[in-house]
Amino acid sequence: MGSAPGPSGPFSGLTRLDHVGIACRDLDASIDFYRSTYGFVVEHEEVNEEQGVREAMLRINGTDDGGATYLQLLEPTRPDSPVAKFLDRNGEGVHHIAFGTGDVAASAAGVGERGVRVLDKEPRHGTLGSSIVFLHPKDCGGVLTELVQAAEHP
């Protein structure tokens, strides 16, 4: 007997390209490059101890769903962080892409039903108070993919 059929169509719960994450060795130099070359302005900076990164979000534009599209610059704060390991293997460059969604848990479940491995069992804390999950790059054409639910702001 065959297994039960999976979903017949694509998942439609994603609303936008939230950000492109770029691994860098020197966050300040990278910020200066994007500021002087493209005029992008830093909207937010923080250190995420859990992920071992110092990061900056450079806003590109706003979107109809209240979110925005950003470049996320990531500098490792410790040598065992995922971004430090990425830099050791690949050098500076695109680390991941992130899609925005109104419900990260439902989106992760919907994508998971289509055979994509979700790396986080539960959504976790992301930049600007967002909720995030990552998808396995081997199931996403070699691209580490993040799903992001923006924090609600009053």
Side-chain angles (χ1 to χ4, degrees):
M1 298 213 140
S3 62
S8 61
F11 178 73
S12 62
L14 306 179
T15 58
R16 62 191 149 79
L17 177 64
D18 186 85
H19 67 270
V20 175
I22 300 173
C24 61
R25 288 186 168 78
D26 183 335
L27 184 65
D28 296 324
S30 294
I31 289 170
D32 287 344
F33 169 79
Y34 286 100
R35 182 181 292 134
S36 65
T37 304
Y38 304 111
F40 297 157
V41 176
V42 174
E43 183 168 299
H44 177 78
E45 286 187 59
E46 73 178 70
V47 173
N48 185 321
E49 296 294 345
E50 177 186 340
Q51 295 180 29
V53 294
R54 179 174 162 236
E55 62 182 272
M57 297 296 275
L58 287 67
R59 186 183 174 105
I60 308 304
N61 69 328
T63 63
D64 292 342
D65 68 358
T69 301
Y70 298 92
L71 283 181
Q72 179 186 46
L73 304 177
L74 301 159
E75 175 190 73
T77 59
R78 59 180 195 261
D80 67 336
S81 73
V83 171
K85 292 174 184 177
F86 175 90
L87 284 167
D88 288 344
R89 281 190 314 271
N90 305 297
E92 294 184 304
V94 174
H95 179 262
H96 67 276
I97 62 168
F99 296 111
T101 177
D103 185 337
V104 72
S107 292
V111 172
E113 289 172 0
R114 284 152 179 81
V116 174
R117 287 173 281 177
V118 179
L119 297 175
D120 301 291
K121 291 181 183 186
E122 297 291 327
R124 58 184 163 126
H125 169 77
T127 307
L128 292 163
S130 63
S131 295
I132 65 171
V133 298
F134 281 93
L135 308 177
H136 202 293
K138 288 184 179 177
D139 299 340
C140 299
V143 179
L144 180 61
T145 303
E146 180 181 2
L147 303 180
V148 179
Q149 180 178 340
E152 292 187 29
H153 297 286

